[in-house]
């Protein structure tokens, strides 16, 4: 069974990643480690920096970075999602959106490293920003995010419902499918300098 080490300080993310990878026959181990999050314009740059910081770990290593993007705010808070939320909370976003389009999306970039080789996988979920926060489940921006086709926020839904469609689950499912394909390829070694950018997810 292939194994991957997921590096993060967040136990909730570890459980989500582990559960998503089980059906692909991938075992997930957890390395609880805080990774650098440099200021960058793209999630993929942050993921690259995280992959640099795990070069000491052996075998397959998995990291990820996520953000909430609001097109009518020129993509804000985006790569600044964590920092903004901890400083200001939801209120400024709700205020700014009173007279703007409320569409938004969450995006995750998952990065896999194996020795010098690295790959990235993108997952995304579209939705809109609620007029006010609702629900107590989940974390981060879940109380203000209503996925497309839903009438409630992520935070009002059970964890399994969120995990069935979440940006993170979608990115990690791509990692799982990739692993399944590789382990079916009769033990071939990873290609040098491999890279994977699924066209359907952007
Ligand atoms: P990071 O990937 O942990 O750096 O997440 C960046 C920011 O996006 C954090 O503030 C999280 O709260 C937010 N975020 C990431 N994923 C989710 C999610 O699934 N729901 C709500 N907020 C999220």
């Amino acid at each position: 069974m292939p194994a991957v080490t997921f590096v993060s300080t967040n136990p909730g993310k570890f459980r989500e990643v582990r559960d998503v990878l089980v059906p692909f026959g991938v075992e997930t181990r957890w390395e609880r480690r805080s990774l650098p999050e440099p200021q960058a314009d793209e999630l993929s740059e942050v993921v690259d920096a995280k992959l640099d910081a795990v070069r000491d770990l052996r075998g397959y290593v998995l990291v990820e970075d996520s953000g909430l993007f609001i097109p009518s705010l020129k993509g804000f808070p985006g790569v600044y999602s964590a920092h903004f939320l901890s400083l200001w909370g939801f209120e400024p976003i709700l205020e700014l959106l009173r007279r703007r389009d409320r569409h938004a999306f969450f995006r995750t970039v998952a990065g896999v490293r194996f020795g010098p080789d690295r790959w990235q996988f993108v997952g995304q979920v579209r939705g809109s920003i609620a007029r006010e926060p609702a629900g107590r489940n989940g974390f981060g921006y879940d109380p203000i995010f209503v996925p497309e086709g839903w009438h409630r926020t992520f935070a009002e839904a059970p964890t399994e419902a969120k995990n069935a469609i979440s940006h993170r689950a979608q990115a990690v499912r791509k990692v799982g499918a990739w692993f399944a394909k590789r382990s079916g390829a009769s033990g071939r070694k990873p290609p040098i300098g491999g890279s994977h950018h699924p066209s359907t997810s952007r």
Side-chain angles (χ1 to χ4, degrees):
M1 181 190 254
V4 65
T5 302
F6 178 61
V7 186
S8 167
T9 54
N10 185 327
K13 284 186 180 181
F14 166 66
R15 282 191 293 273
E16 186 178 342
V17 167
R18 180 195 58 194
D19 292 353
V20 169
L21 288 178
V22 166
F24 294 98
V26 177
E27 182 199 342
T28 309
R29 298 170 187 153
W30 184 23
E31 168 85 10
R32 190 174 198 150
R33 186 190 288 192
S34 145
L35 294 172
E37 292 207 19
Q39 281 212 350
D41 294 330
E42 301 277 346
L43 293 176
S44 59
E45 293 174 52
V46 179
V47 168
D48 252 339
K50 289 185 175 182
L51 288 173
D52 284 343
V54 297
R55 66 167 71 79
D56 58 305
L57 295 174
R58 288 169 167 268
Y60 287 99
V61 184
L62 174 64
V63 303
E64 62 89 49
D65 201 62
S66 309
L68 174 70
F69 296 79
I70 303 175
S72 66
L73 302 182
K74 300 187 188 331
F76 191 79
V79 288
Y80 309 107
S81 295
H83 196 53
F84 183 83
L85 190 62
S86 66
L87 280 179
W88 300 100
F90 307 131
E91 212 37 60
I93 290 181
L94 298 179
E95 186 61 40
L96 282 168
L97 290 185
R98 276 188 214 291
R99 276 184 232 101
R100 288 182 175 85
D101 184 83
R102 313 188 73 84
H103 284 98
F105 59 90
F106 273 121
R107 178 178 286 172
T108 293
V109 175
V112 176
R113 175 166 190 149
F114 185 93
D117 298 322
R118 39 178 86 195
W119 299 263
Q120 291 194 359
F121 304 81
V122 183
Q124 188 164 294
V125 59
R126 293 179 192 285
S128 58
I129 301 300
R131 294 199 174 270
E132 48 191 54
R136 292 167 163 269
N137 297 330
F139 67 101
Y141 295 90
D142 282 343
I144 62 166
F145 185 80
V146 180
E148 213 167 67
W150 288 31
H151 298 287
R152 57 183 178 176
T153 65
F154 261 159
E156 292 177 289
T159 313
E160 308 78 59
K162 177 188 169 188
N163 290 353
I165 65 162
S166 86
H167 44 306
R168 188 168 305 99
Q170 291 191 48
V172 175
R173 251 181 239 126
K174 287 177 182 171
V175 173
W178 176 81
F179 262 113
K181 217 163 122 190
R182 287 171 80 74
S183 47
S186 60
R188 270 176 43 209
K189 290 227 161 112
I192 305 293
S195 166
H196 180 91
H197 292 278
S199 53
T200 51
S201 51
R202 281 190 178 255

